Amino acid sequence: MTGQPAAAGSEDQRGAPRAGATPGRPLLPGQPGRPDVFTFGETMVVLRGSGPLKLGGTMNVSIAGAESNVAIGLARLGHDVRWAGAVGEDEAGQLVLRTLRAEGVGVSGASTDPGAPTGLLLFEPRLPEVTRVHYYRAGSAGSRIGADVIQHAFSAAPPRVLHLTGITPSLSPTARAAARLVLQLARESGSLVCLDVNFRARLWTAEAAAEVLREWIPFVDVLIASDDELPLCLPGDGGGEGSPGGGEGVKGTTGVNGDLGAEGADGGLARWASEPEEATAAGGAGACGDAVPLPPQEVAGDPAATVAAQARLLLDQGVAEVVVKLGAEGATAFTHGGSLHQPAKPVRAVDAVGAGDAFVAGYLSALLDGEGPAGRLERAVTTGAFAVASPGDWEGAPTRAELGMLGAPPGTVVR
């Protein structure tokens, strides 16, 4: 980061954030009864097979959802986090709620929908580095979440940080309206807003996503995205001003436009291994593919300069910090004071599911702890590496005491 870093949340006399001063608005202090983070979205039951589904066999049962993955990651790091969403009045919904409670996530704002089932997600390993994902979420309880439920859950205990993803508004008009409302509530209550773009081409088009995300940008304090998701947020004809718009990570899981389309998927982000052969899938098209062309500030032949130029445009739109996940190359944070890059942690990849969600959990955890950009990025790439080194969406998320284990030499036995 160029310049001398300042304490998180600090500002200069003109009100513009200095280098390291994320977010531009001050982070509210912790208060009894006020959670650190509030998030909402759809969480589904997950069945993971050991091979082609048509051949049958056994399946492991768990849950998955980008927002609940982040919530679990934060809870394991010792933060007070609340999740809201809707599940069916069924056993699958009870599994979702029971699992989140067991992980220390508050679910008092969750609701059950007797008229719709809990969503279902099937993982089908097809090749060593390719997994197919099958969604059964159309008309699910999670997709029918209403703004009134979210308003009640948020207002009951306004958080220090609101975390949203670009998945939720893609699910339905009601889910989009709920997200639109909670952005306004966050502004009124002084909550910081973190947005993880999480574009999913199976859920909506790049054009539809851009229309909503560009209108959300004035409400966002911390924007987290892959380099190929940034164009969805840049100023354009589809963007608006003044009010929120409304009009999942598996590597090797391909969908429309090259989308890595599982819950917890990170576009092309979940490449945390230090060497290509350690990753669990090949590269290929990013989350956006060619659906959204780069804007005029693209720097020919210089991807890093292009990302920096795009980040500057977003900073000019009022975002206090733009965090760009670069997979095997780590991540870079941009503020008005400059930029800071953090290399990825070298790990042997076991399962890249949920790497981006773990990254977000680590980043927000360090932000809540008052760390500057270096500390936030360091913890983010550490928690992301833990996710890659363990199977499942959230199962490998570390506790605070485990953060230092990543640097232990091979063969270490912790007694």
Side-chain angles (χ1 to χ4, degrees):
M1 185 76 63
T2 57
Q4 294 297 317
S10 63
E11 298 180 357
D12 63 22
Q13 294 181 347
R14 298 182 305 275
R18 294 196 299 247
T22 302
R25 293 186 296 132
L27 178 65
L28 295 171
Q31 300 176 12
R34 182 162 193 160
D36 292 324
V37 178
F38 174 87
T39 187
F40 82 96
E42 181 174 27
T43 297
M44 297 171 286
V45 165
V46 173
L47 302 181
R48 302 179 191 278
S50 57
L53 289 176
K54 65 185 177 183
L55 299 182
T58 60
M59 304 190 81
N60 293 323
V61 184
S62 185
I63 69 168
E67 298 83 7
S68 57
N69 292 346
V70 172
I72 291 173
L74 283 163
R76 288 195 179 180
L77 292 169
H79 299 284
D80 182 357
V81 56
R82 314 284 173 89
W83 173 88
V87 297
E89 203 170 78
D90 48 32
E91 294 299 299
Q94 289 303 305
L95 174 62
V96 169
L97 298 180
R98 179 178 181 273
T99 302
L100 291 175
R101 289 193 195 99
E103 288 295 329
V105 176
V107 295
S108 60
S111 64
T112 56
D113 185 342
T118 302
L120 176 65
L121 183 61
L122 303 181
F123 284 92
E124 177 189 20
R126 197 60 190 88
L127 293 171
E129 296 181 347
V130 177
T131 298
R132 289 195 293 216
V133 178
H134 307 275
Y135 289 101
Y136 297 87
R137 69 195 306 176
S140 66
S143 69
R144 294 174 14 149
I145 188 70
D148 56 338
V149 172
I150 299 304
Q151 179 178 18
H152 177 76
F154 183 96
S155 301
R160 301 172 70 194
V161 176
L162 166 67
H163 173 62
L164 294 177
T165 77
I167 295 174
T168 299
S170 71
L171 298 178
S172 68
T174 57
R176 192 174 309 135
R180 181 192 316 137
L181 174 61
V182 81
L183 281 171
Q184 186 64 49
L185 294 174
R187 169 165 288 184
E188 294 170 357
S189 67
S191 303
L192 297 178
V193 175
C194 173
L195 172 63
D196 185 3
V197 172
N198 253 331
F199 174 68
R200 297 291 175 268
R202 288 186 179 183
L203 298 178
W204 58 351
T205 66
E207 290 76 14
E211 181 178 0
V212 171
L213 295 173
R214 288 167 179 168
E215 293 178 351
W216 282 15
I217 287 300
F219 290 78
V220 175
D221 296 290
V222 179
L223 178 70
I224 301 178
S226 66
D227 52 353
D228 51 9
E229 289 173 333
L230 285 179
L232 294 172
C233 304
L234 295 174
D237 293 339
E241 298 180 357
S243 62
E248 273 152 38
V250 178
K251 198 161 178 200
T253 306
T254 57
V256 181
N257 293 337
D259 173 45
L260 301 190
E263 196 63 37
D266 306 302
L269 308 180
R271 301 185 294 271
W272 296 92
S274 59
E275 297 178 5
E277 61 268 21
E278 292 182 321
T280 58
C288 301
D290 296 325
V292 177
L294 292 176
Q297 74 278 3
E298 177 181 0
V299 181
D302 192 343
T306 296
V307 168
Q310 294 170 346
R312 284 194 296 271
L313 282 178
L314 290 165
L315 294 172
D316 290 342
Q317 293 292 300
V319 179
E321 181 158 359
V322 178
V323 184
V324 183
K325 296 180 284 187
L326 300 169
E329 285 72 46
T332 302
F334 298 88
T335 72
H336 291 285
S339 64
L340 179 68
H341 179 74
Q342 173 66 49
K345 298 288 184 178
V347 295
R348 182 162 296 279
V350 173
D351 184 352
V353 174
D357 301 330
F359 177 98
V360 173
Y363 197 89
L364 290 180
S365 171
L367 172 64
L368 290 162
D369 286 351
E371 296 283 349
R376 297 195 289 269
L377 286 172
E378 169 69 21
R379 190 174 301 178
V381 298
T382 298
T383 51
F386 265 94
V388 169
S390 308
D393 279 70
W394 50 267
E395 287 82 350
T399 64
R400 190 173 290 261
E402 293 172 330
L403 288 172
M405 293 177 62
L406 199 62
T412 297
V413 177
V414 179
R415 300 184 187 276

